[in-house]
Amino acid sequence: MIRWGVFIGTTSGIVLGLYMWFVEQITGKKVYTLLMNVDFIPVIGNIDWPVLMEWLFHMVISWIIGILYSYAFMRKLKETNRNRWGLAILLTAIAATTYVPLTILAIKETPALTDGTAILYWLIGHVLYAFTLKKSYYRFE
């Protein structure tokens, strides 16, 4: 269950991270910066982390989501298409709502709370995450 959750979290986290990176590179909207930002966390926020460590922080969150997703179907929920989509959407919606607190808490420059375009990119990225989370549960079958 944990190995499977880490696989699911890895595939979904890579899709989200790469999407946000490409969006930031193409548009200049700092959605990738927001996704990877930890500067507001006491102690670790004061360190200028290399890109690989920022990715690790991002992946740890994604692994937790993947493990929760796999745990739910291996132990609690009936595996129906509706339940798989529902849980993927629920877990991802919770993650997507972090736009507001991450933006408020960020010290470095991130998109504004009122930047509708950045919010749209953020939400599209999280829709991709939900899709990948659900699809990777069965190894993209």
Side-chain angles (χ1 to χ4, degrees), residues 1-138:
M1 170 181 46
I2 291 176
R3 258 187 23 217
W4 195 241
V6 168
F7 169 78
I8 294 165
T10 299
T11 57
S12 303
I14 288 171
V15 167
L16 177 61
L18 287 176
Y19 166 81
M20 295 293 194
W21 184 82
F22 279 115
V23 166
E24 185 167 315
Q25 294 304 304
I26 293 166
T27 68
K29 298 286 182 182
K30 301 237 179 227
V31 290
Y32 176 79
T33 300
L34 183 62
L35 183 70
M36 297 296 165
N37 190 29
V38 294
D39 67 2
F40 57 89
I41 299 173
V43 181
I44 69 167
N46 297 331
I47 299 169
D48 187 21
W49 295 102
V51 173
L52 288 177
M53 282 304 296
E54 290 178 343
W55 261 93
L56 179 62
F57 296 145
H58 163 68
M59 293 308 295
V60 166
I61 300 301
S62 192
W63 291 334
I64 291 168
I65 293 169
I67 291 167
L68 289 172
Y69 189 81
S70 63
Y71 174 80
F73 292 112
M74 292 179 178
R75 302 274 194 254
K76 301 289 181 191
L77 294 176
K78 183 177 180 186
E79 281 192 46
T80 65
N81 197 45
R82 180 182 174 137
N83 284 348
R84 286 189 301 271
W85 276 117
L87 186 59
I89 291 166
L90 175 67
L91 291 172
T92 304
I94 292 167
T97 62
T98 62
Y99 183 91
V100 173
L102 289 177
T103 301
I104 291 170
L105 294 170
I107 296 168
K108 64 175 83 167
E109 182 185 350
T110 60
L113 284 174
T114 56
D115 187 339
T117 305
I119 293 169
L120 181 61
Y121 291 141
W122 183 264
L123 293 175
I124 290 169
H126 284 82
V127 167
L128 288 171
Y129 185 91
F131 180 81
T132 308
L133 188 69
K134 190 262 184 195
K135 289 296 190 178
S136 63
Y137 186 74
Y138 287 110

